[in-house]
Amino acid sequence: MTSQVSSPINEEHEGPAPSLGAPVGALGEQRTSGKQTRRLDRVIIRFAGDSGDGMQLTGDRFTSETASFGNDLSTLPNFPAEIRAPAGTLPGVSSFQLHFADHDILTPGDAPDVLVAMNPAALKANLADVPRGGEIIVNTDEFTKRAMAKVGYGANPLEDGSLEAYAVHPVPLTTLTLEALKDSGLARKDAERAKNMFALGLLSWMYHRPTEGTESFLRKKFAKKPDIAEANVAAFRAGWNFGETTEDFAVSYEVAPATSAFPAGTYRNISGNLALAYGLIASSSRSGLPLFLGSYPITPASDILHELSRHKNFGVRTFQAEDEIAAIGAALGAAFGGSLAVTTTSGPGVALKSETIGLAVSLELPLLVVDIQRGGPSTGMPTKTEQADLLQAMYGRNGEAPVPIVAPATPAECFTAALEAARIAVAYRTPVMLLSDGYLANGSEPWRVPDVDELPDLHVEFASGPNHTAADGTETFWPYLRDPETLARPWAVPGTPGLEHRIGGIEKQDGTGNISYDPANHDFMVRTRQAKIDGITVPDIEVDDPSGAARTLVLGWGSTYGPITAAVRRIRREGGLVAQAHLRHLNPFPANLGSVLAGYDKVLVPEMNLGQLAHLIRAKYLVDARSYTQVTGLPFKAEQLAQAIAKENADV
């Protein structure tokens, strides 16, 4: 879905959403067809059900229509690691949260204004997050004694008064879906599966979402099963019509497009993994190098492999290897052969790839290692997010094996992060770690499609002939004769006449590339490889300190950008003075980072680990960086961070 926006940017605040049960007229109202329409500036919706109820598809479709409508948005898919967890159990609950607004927003929201619960497990697992007065739409057909007992309900929560603090809408979604599809010819079990589309239709009516895109999507998705396609369309329309005609939903809501939130351009909704895949393709095009991906499927990185495999028309070659070691070995071989080489994985895979990453450091060949971080250690929590691979990326190899590290801050920024990682890799002839995470990978937001001319020129010059003249006048090729500015060695493609040279993991002699055990040479090569990484040109870190009087700096990296920025806005609206800076380059750090840190009395570092960036900052700059950490498998909430920042600020 793409949409055109032609308005100047206008930064808006992100504060608590207005209660949907607030007095009429809080943000404006109108009446149409005998029903009231209330205008809101933003809404947070969470769809929740069994992992087989289609909640991710439902949320994705609502998101796509919201993006095409022109709202700013941010999403948080949350699902179990099991392929099919036990039905009706708490571990089997899958949810999808969407925050959309008529202004600039940064996070999926702290708490849902509307919860759609498809069964008792979904209600119990998510009820604690719903604020008092929030709306809950419940599929009453699933509240059987057996289903309720499975999650510990001794009495029906829809009848025992425990939900009196909420606006509850009991809807027999399954029954209504079966009634809508009684003439479809489908078996009851197949017809029941369309209840998520009924729920989507109802929510689409409630929030005035477009419908044509969803109907077109369903017909395309089930093109080989037209009866299934039409059944889903019928259920979707039935949900819309139910909202229009039932007395239980007397109010619908309107959230205007966020026309002031975006620079002019063409926009589409994009997830982090999709943006990263597109960024890799763009890097291939801008460098003139064929793209090779060597990968082994692993959550949450597999979508990049799936997406790139669809783009053979761009010269992309994807290789699904038998394991992580083979995947990176093939990628490094492709780099030696002159390709833009990439391997994708998550934390456990990085551990397996570490020896070959060290080999790439020794060979000094460009290689992109994409780590979509997840909860660890070991298998950990495959579908939950975390930022705990920073120190592994920094030091997780034998010997002195420095590697540059790039980390995107938002799903859309994964596109530019891929380009930046490719720039560093090809310019400095080095493997580069790109650290994304599950929150960015699966989350989505509007992305402005850039003009090709805006993208950096990554053109590469391969070695084409001798580069050294011996004392006797003979011209030879030295594979480790370095560029004086970047310290990069020549990139010689195999088969180029006269450029035959030795490669391998044993230490090389400076210049000639011959095997060398000389102590002085080893010391020189180790220090030179480190100097090459230290000398990489990266942009200075920018500090957001409007007043210039703040004494506390909040420093983040990666996906904490949204929650930190939202929290900082809340502090400032309440009169607090706080500065913010966010790192996209973690090795080397920006050249001005030390002076920035020295300019504040306190430095607070929120991270989804136990303080890994704070550890690096304290060691390198000798500042008393304070950690604020969380390892729950979920992103920070803005209000949670705002309270932590306010506490630090109060002690200045």
Side-chain angles (χ1 to χ4, degrees):
M1 287 283 184
T2 60
S3 58
Q4 293 285 342
V5 177
S6 56
S7 301
I9 189 167
N10 176 27
E11 183 180 18
E12 296 282 347
H13 69 269
E14 177 172 312
S19 170
L20 300 187
V24 174
L27 291 175
E29 62 179 82
Q30 60 185 6
R31 294 178 183 274
T32 57
S33 303
K35 289 203 173 189
Q36 183 186 102
T37 299
R38 186 176 303 163
R39 295 200 307 272
L40 302 173
D41 65 347
R42 67 188 189 92
V43 175
I44 303 166
I45 298 173
R46 183 182 297 176
F47 298 94
D50 264 340
S51 56
D53 282 340
M55 294 297 94
Q56 302 305 315
L57 175 62
T58 304
D60 184 68
R61 287 314 312 159
F62 196 94
T63 299
S64 294
E65 298 299 348
T66 296
S68 68
F69 188 72
N71 296 119
D72 195 10
L73 62 89
S74 180
T75 67
L76 177 62
N78 188 9
F79 42 87
E82 290 79 10
I83 299 299
R84 184 67 171 92
T89 63
L90 294 175
V93 172
S94 172
S95 68
F96 188 105
Q97 184 162 304
L98 165 67
H99 182 189
F100 62 102
D102 65 3
H103 58 271
D104 171 32
I105 59 172
L106 299 158
T107 74
D110 287 357
D113 304 304
V114 181
L115 171 65
V116 180
M118 303 297 282
N119 60 19
L123 178 65
K124 188 161 190 177
N126 292 279
L127 184 60
D129 292 335
V130 182
R132 294 175 66 87
E135 293 201 63
I136 302 176
I137 300 172
V138 184
N139 180 14
T140 56
D141 289 326
E142 295 297 321
F143 279 72
T144 63
K145 288 185 178 181
R146 183 171 181 271
M148 289 187 290
K150 193 178 292 187
V151 296
Y153 278 130
N156 191 335
L158 306 180
E159 301 172 352
D160 65 4
S162 60
L163 301 179
E164 288 181 351
Y166 309 96
V168 179
H169 301 278
V171 180
L173 289 173
T174 307
T175 298
L176 292 171
T177 301
L178 291 174
E179 176 64 23
L181 303 184
K182 62 183 180 181
D183 297 325
S184 66
L186 295 180
R188 178 187 175 91
K189 184 177 180 181
D190 292 332
E192 282 185 6
R193 290 175 179 165
K195 61 181 179 289
N196 64 324
M197 288 298 104
F198 189 100
L200 177 60
L202 174 57
L203 269 293
S204 297
W205 172 84
M206 284 182 66
Y207 293 98
H208 297 214
R209 299 296 91 184
T211 60
E212 295 81 3
T214 293
E215 293 189 10
S216 175
F217 167 84
L218 290 170
R219 291 192 171 100
K220 183 177 180 180
K221 179 178 177 64
F222 298 108
K224 296 182 179 179
K225 298 180 179 179
D227 54 339
I228 299 293
E230 292 309 313
N232 277 278
V233 170
F236 176 68
R237 290 178 175 176
W240 177 282
N241 293 333
F242 177 76
E244 181 71 19
T245 57
T246 184
E247 294 182 0
D248 192 39
F249 293 90
V251 180
S252 63
Y253 305 95
E254 187 176 84
V255 180
T259 53
S260 63
F262 306 112
T266 300
Y267 287 78
R268 61 156 294 162
N269 183 54
I270 200 164
S271 68
N273 274 352
L274 182 58
L276 209 158
Y278 286 176
L280 293 173
I281 295 171
S283 299
S284 171
S285 175
R286 297 298 286 172
S287 64
L289 302 174
L291 179 62
F292 178 91
L293 173 68
S295 184
Y296 179 76
I298 184 172
T299 302
S302 299
D303 285 344
I304 302 171
L305 169 62
H306 301 160
E307 183 61 33
L308 288 178
S309 68
R310 299 186 178 105
H311 296 287
K312 296 180 179 66
N313 55 310
F314 288 110
V316 177
R317 289 172 292 175
T318 55
F319 170 60
Q320 181 175 321
E322 66 269 26
D323 56 42
E324 297 280 4
I325 298 172
I328 191 173
L332 185 56
F336 178 58
S339 292
L340 179 62
V342 185
T343 188
T344 53
T345 188
S346 190
V350 174
L352 291 166
K353 295 177 188 292
S354 62
E355 183 180 7
T356 307
I357 296 173
L359 176 59
V361 171
S362 178
L363 299 183
E364 300 189 48
L365 286 171
L367 174 67
L368 273 60
V369 181
V370 178
D371 177 6
I372 312 297
Q373 300 166 95
R374 71 190 206 187
S378 188
T379 305
M381 298 195 297
T383 61
K384 309 303 180 185
T385 195
E386 207 161 273
Q387 287 183 300
D389 292 349
L390 176 56
L391 293 183
Q392 179 179 216
M394 194 80 175
Y395 300 120
R397 295 161 294 282
N398 66 297
E400 296 288 346
V403 170
I405 304 171
V406 176
T410 68
E413 209 174 274
C414 290
F415 178 84
T416 52
L419 284 158
E420 176 65 358
R423 176 191 74 84
I424 294 171
V426 299
Y428 294 88
R429 311 290 195 267
T430 177
V432 177
M433 295 285 293
L434 194 160
L435 295 183
S436 179
D437 60 44
Y439 173 38
L440 295 182
N442 296 316
S444 64
E445 65 178 354
W447 171 60
R448 187 180 70 84
V449 181
D451 293 330
V452 174
D453 293 341
E454 299 175 27
L455 304 180
D457 182 2
L458 305 178
H459 184 69
V460 177
E461 291 288 345
F462 291 115
S464 58
N467 60 0
H468 176 73
T469 303
D472 62 0
T474 304
E475 292 190 341
T476 61
F477 175 67
W478 277 18
Y480 282 84
L481 187 65
R482 301 179 183 279
D483 182 292
E485 291 187 9
T486 64
L487 298 182
R489 78 173 186 89
W491 194 355
V493 176
T496 306
L499 303 191
E500 298 84 0
H501 61 283
R502 181 181 289 105
I503 64 168
I506 298 177
E507 186 64 279
K508 304 297 186 296
Q509 184 183 46
D510 178 45
T512 67
N514 295 329
I515 290 175
S516 173
Y517 292 96
D518 178 66
N521 177 78
H522 177 59
D523 183 271
F524 177 82
M525 292 294 279
V526 168
R527 295 180 187 277
T528 300
R529 287 189 290 262
Q530 183 66 58
K532 180 175 70 170
I533 303 307
D534 292 342
I536 292 172
T537 301
V538 303
D540 281 349
I541 191 169
E542 297 180 0
V543 181
D544 177 22
D545 186 0
S547 69
R551 305 315 309 151
T552 299
L553 172 70
V554 184
L555 179 67
W557 70 278
S559 66
T560 58
Y561 173 78
I564 290 175
T565 306
V568 166
R569 290 181 182 181
R570 295 186 185 194
I571 294 292
R572 290 174 181 167
R573 283 201 310 275
E574 296 170 1
L577 299 177
V578 62
Q580 178 190 358
H582 207 78
L583 287 165
R584 273 89 170 173
H585 294 86
L586 294 147
N587 192 31
F589 285 130
N592 69 330
L593 180 58
S595 61
V596 167
L597 296 171
Y600 294 90
D601 296 336
K602 284 194 173 183
V603 177
L604 181 66
V605 186
E607 299 180 76
M608 291 188 293
N609 55 48
L610 295 184
Q612 296 186 15
L613 175 60
H615 173 83
L616 295 175
I617 294 295
R618 291 170 70 95
K620 184 173 179 64
Y621 299 104
L622 303 180
V623 299
D624 186 20
R626 309 280 188 91
S627 287
Y628 184 78
T629 62
Q630 172 178 292
V631 282
T632 62
L634 294 170
F636 285 111
K637 293 183 177 181
E639 182 59 28
Q640 166 194 4
L641 283 181
Q643 292 177 8
I645 296 168
K647 183 178 179 181
E648 287 292 326
N649 237 6
D651 297 334
V652 175

